[in-house]
Amino acid sequence: MATVLITGISGFIGSSLARGLLAEGASVRGIDNLCTGNLENLEDIRTRIDLRRADILDIGAINDACDGIDYVFHQAAIPSVPKSVVDPMGTNGPNLNGTLTVLEAARKAGVRRLMYAASSAAYGDSPELPKTETMLPAPISPYAVQKLAGEHYLASYTRVFGLETVALRYFNIFGPRQDPTSQYSGVLARFISLMCQGETPTIFGDGSTSRDFTYIDNVVHANMMVAKTSAPVAGKVFNIATGKRITLLEAYQEIKQITGYSGTVQFKPEREGDIRHSLADISLAQSVFGYRVVAGFREGLEKTIEYYRQTSPQAIAAL
Ligand code: UD1
């Protein structure tokens, strides 16, 4: 049975991975500084994990956390484009130096493989769609630069030190437990929680901005597949998405239909650092390690809306 470390375990993606890995019989350790994560995300599995409160830049704590670990799933980050525009230096610490800290600790501990939450933001705004891993990255926001630089550190640690690393470029992940409460929250979490409470969502731009919105189960599946594959994945980068593109207006309309929201939507100017369109070519992950889309957009939306409906407005506000 494998022993795994999840950084950012109390976040939306980290806590979902923890559930998936526990279900596979893994022994799960996690670290989090609770900066953007939330202990409530771990409520049902709290007694089954070795949870440590530590900062991703605390090399001593990360060294300890990597001791005896087979696989690292590095999810800790400040995952927001606009936040990085407001505070490039403050976000560079956790997003880039944090990744280097985890790589260094993993190398010293002899970890078998490290999976990294990379971002489709690395592709930037080039008009060519879909995005394939061979395209030259063109990051726009500081966040995209930080995430892309992390990928290069991974490749370096594989080449120079022989640590097996894999970068999974996530495309707009959504699902239950994604924090909807901040202006920096992911757009679907924001739309759904607002519309479930009868409040008006905001579209930045004219609504034609599009994303390859990817339900969380696909990310959990991808991480588990890539961790255990015997295919040559070390030092490589893979898109994790659905291969379909939805505009913000379409997403809003689908949520409206499912929730029965009867209000309107307001439009505001585009945000600085945003990219217009994002769509993945997922054939590399499919052919190399058997990734597949286990849940599509509509199914994901329905499950996510169900979750927010069961979470009271007070509980959401307290997140
Ligand atoms: C998202 C992730 C990022 C990840 C990247 C690629 C979040 C917060 N960001 O970035 O971590 O690396 O995908 O996987 O999850 N928008 C609105 N109304 C709102 C909020 C946002 O119209 O209330 C717009 C934004 O201006 C943007 C689009 O929706 O055009 C998507 O924004 P967002 O959900 O923040 O995601 P990304 O910036 O694409």
Side-chain angles (χ1 to χ4, degrees):
M1 191 195 293
T3 303
V4 306
L5 172 68
I6 302 172
T7 69
I9 193 168
S10 66
F12 153 56
I13 297 179
S15 61
S16 305
L17 270 174
R19 266 180 206 87
L21 288 158
L22 283 171
E24 290 267 300
S27 176
V28 175
R29 184 180 299 161
I31 62 142
D32 209 300
N33 69 352
L34 299 179
C35 162
T36 56
N38 185 334
L39 281 180
E40 285 194 1
N41 288 339
L42 299 171
E43 216 169 18
D44 53 325
I45 54 170
R46 179 66 194 82
T47 56
R48 297 168 62 201
I49 57 178
D50 171 4
L51 176 64
R52 303 174 183 195
R53 189 166 181 167
D55 195 277
I56 203 68
L57 292 166
D58 180 348
I59 184 69
I62 306 301
N63 280 339
D64 286 348
C66 281
D67 188 35
I69 292 294
D70 300 306
Y71 301 102
V72 173
F73 298 87
H74 175 41
Q75 313 298 309
I78 300 183
S80 163
V81 168
K83 216 175 208 174
S84 77
V85 172
V86 172
D87 186 8
M89 293 187 71
T91 50
N92 191 73
N95 288 349
L96 181 55
N97 296 342
T99 297
L100 182 58
T101 306
V102 174
L103 283 167
E104 188 57 14
R107 167 179 85 85
K108 285 192 282 197
V111 161
R112 270 155 64 179
R113 189 169 289 168
L114 179 145
M115 274 51 65
Y116 166 65
S119 173
S120 63
Y123 290 112
D125 228 357
S126 64
E128 216 176 321
L129 295 174
K131 307 295 185 193
T132 61
E133 294 87 343
T134 49
M135 284 177 180
L136 204 58
I140 298 173
S141 62
Y143 168 77
V145 173
Q146 294 155 7
K147 278 282 160 184
L148 177 62
E151 286 185 19
H152 290 305
Y153 264 131
L154 259 71
S156 168
Y157 268 66
T158 296
R159 290 286 297 271
V160 177
F161 302 112
L163 173 68
E164 287 203 16
T165 65
V166 189
L168 300 178
R169 279 188 189 159
Y170 298 164
F171 281 66
N172 292 79
I173 314 306
F174 73 100
R177 299 187 182 81
Q178 188 168 24
D179 174 12
T181 58
S182 130
Q183 55 164 323
Y184 301 125
S185 298
V187 64
L188 296 185
R190 198 97 190 109
F191 280 11
I192 295 170
S193 72
L194 286 170
M195 289 159 77
C196 280
Q197 295 170 70
E199 289 176 33
T200 310
T202 302
I203 288 181
F204 298 115
D206 63 4
S208 64
T209 295
S210 63
R211 291 291 186 271
D212 191 334
F213 289 112
T214 305
Y215 187 61
I216 182 69
D217 286 6
N218 300 302
V219 171
V220 175
H221 160 73
N223 274 278
M224 299 213 270
M225 293 296 283
V226 85
K228 61 189 178 200
T229 187
S230 55
V233 291
K236 302 244 164 65
V237 175
F238 297 96
N239 289 342
I240 300 303
T242 71
K244 296 208 169 85
R245 186 160 69 97
I246 314 275
T247 67
L248 294 178
L249 204 52
E250 285 166 346
Y252 161 73
Q253 275 153 355
E254 286 218 36
I255 297 167
K256 185 169 179 162
Q257 192 191 73
I258 302 170
T259 57
Y261 171 74
S262 57
T264 53
V265 61
Q266 61 172 331
F267 291 87
K268 285 194 179 163
E270 268 176 42
R271 296 195 306 202
E272 209 60 54
D274 267 347
I275 60 173
R276 284 302 309 279
H277 301 294
S278 180
L279 171 69
D281 178 335
I282 54 173
S283 56
L284 190 65
Q286 286 173 322
S287 61
V288 173
F289 62 89
Y291 168 74
R292 64 192 172 85
V293 178
V294 295
F297 180 66
R298 178 78 186 199
E299 182 187 343
L301 262 193
E302 283 168 359
K303 287 184 173 164
T304 309
I305 289 169
E306 185 56 30
Y307 169 82
Y308 284 114
R309 274 194 173 132
Q310 286 169 5
T311 312
S312 68
Q314 291 84 347
I316 290 176
L319 279 176

